[in-house]
Amino acid sequence: MIWYALLVAAVAAERVVELVVARRNERWSTARGAIVTGQGHYPAMVVLHTALLVGCLAEVWLADRPFVPALAWPMLAMLAGSQALRWWCIGTLGPRWNTRVIVVPGLPLVTSGPYRLLRHPNYVAVVAEGVALPMVHTAWVTAAVFTVLNAVLLTVRIRCENRALAAATAPATPAPA
């Protein structure tokens, strides 16, 4: 259990690093006239992602979940892959990446890196992590609850993000003469 707690702590530390990067990127975007949308669902996202971390540890401890190597190792590989994909997304978007929906009007959509393959690859990483992290130590209830709630949240989030990106990248309409 100690090693699993360390793994969850490492993921939590990675989240803190993400927040530092997001805050720096928010300042960059704001300086360029960024528009922030979707603030209504953001607190729910923070709570859900925090609950994932807490739920992983609580379920393993309270329900005495076993460590099953045949399940744990593939899930650990999936977790590592999700982190690699997340940081590929962050690196590809550069200062435009954020945990909030923040867009700078007039900038074109990013179509390189993982964005040449998928419109929202970061959310693939989130979904994979939400399954893999709990299942490393058979916390299946946490994995299932997070997956269902995250699907609802991502429906809202992706719709919000698509609207914001469409508005920010739309060609300017000329003023009537």
Side-chain angles (χ1 to χ4, degrees):
M1 170 73 176
I2 296 295
W3 68 268
Y4 185 63
L6 292 173
L7 175 64
V8 173
V11 172
E14 188 271 337
R15 286 286 191 277
V16 171
V17 171
E18 281 182 27
L19 291 173
V20 168
V21 171
R23 186 69 184 126
R24 181 194 67 211
N25 291 349
E26 183 177 359
R27 287 189 300 270
W28 180 91
S29 296
T30 301
R32 287 156 181 78
I35 298 168
V36 180
T37 59
Q39 294 185 64
H41 71 265
Y42 189 75
M45 191 171 79
V46 171
V47 168
L48 182 61
H49 283 256
T50 302
L52 171 66
L53 301 174
V54 172
C56 286
L57 296 175
E59 183 178 350
V60 168
W61 185 65
L62 295 172
D64 197 26
R65 297 288 188 226
F67 175 77
V68 179
L71 176 64
W73 296 119
M75 291 297 108
L76 195 57
M78 188 164 130
L79 178 63
S82 72
Q83 297 302 323
L85 177 57
R86 173 178 286 116
W87 285 97
W88 187 18
C89 293
I90 292 169
T92 300
L93 289 177
R96 294 167 65 178
W97 178 86
N98 212 294
T99 57
R100 298 179 183 273
V101 179
I102 301 176
V103 293
V104 177
L107 293 181
L109 287 177
V110 173
T111 56
S112 60
Y115 294 89
R116 76 174 168 264
L117 307 171
L118 296 168
R119 178 135 171 131
H120 298 286
N122 190 67
Y123 300 136
V124 173
V126 170
V127 169
E129 180 188 71
V131 171
L133 181 60
M135 293 304 292
V136 165
H137 212 300
T138 64
W140 62 271
V141 172
T142 300
V145 170
F146 178 84
T147 298
V148 169
L149 294 176
N150 190 51
V152 172
L153 182 61
L154 282 178
T155 299
V156 172
R157 173 71 174 214
I158 290 171
R159 202 174 304 139
C160 172
E161 198 168 294
N162 284 343
R163 276 192 308 266
L165 289 169
T169 58
T173 55

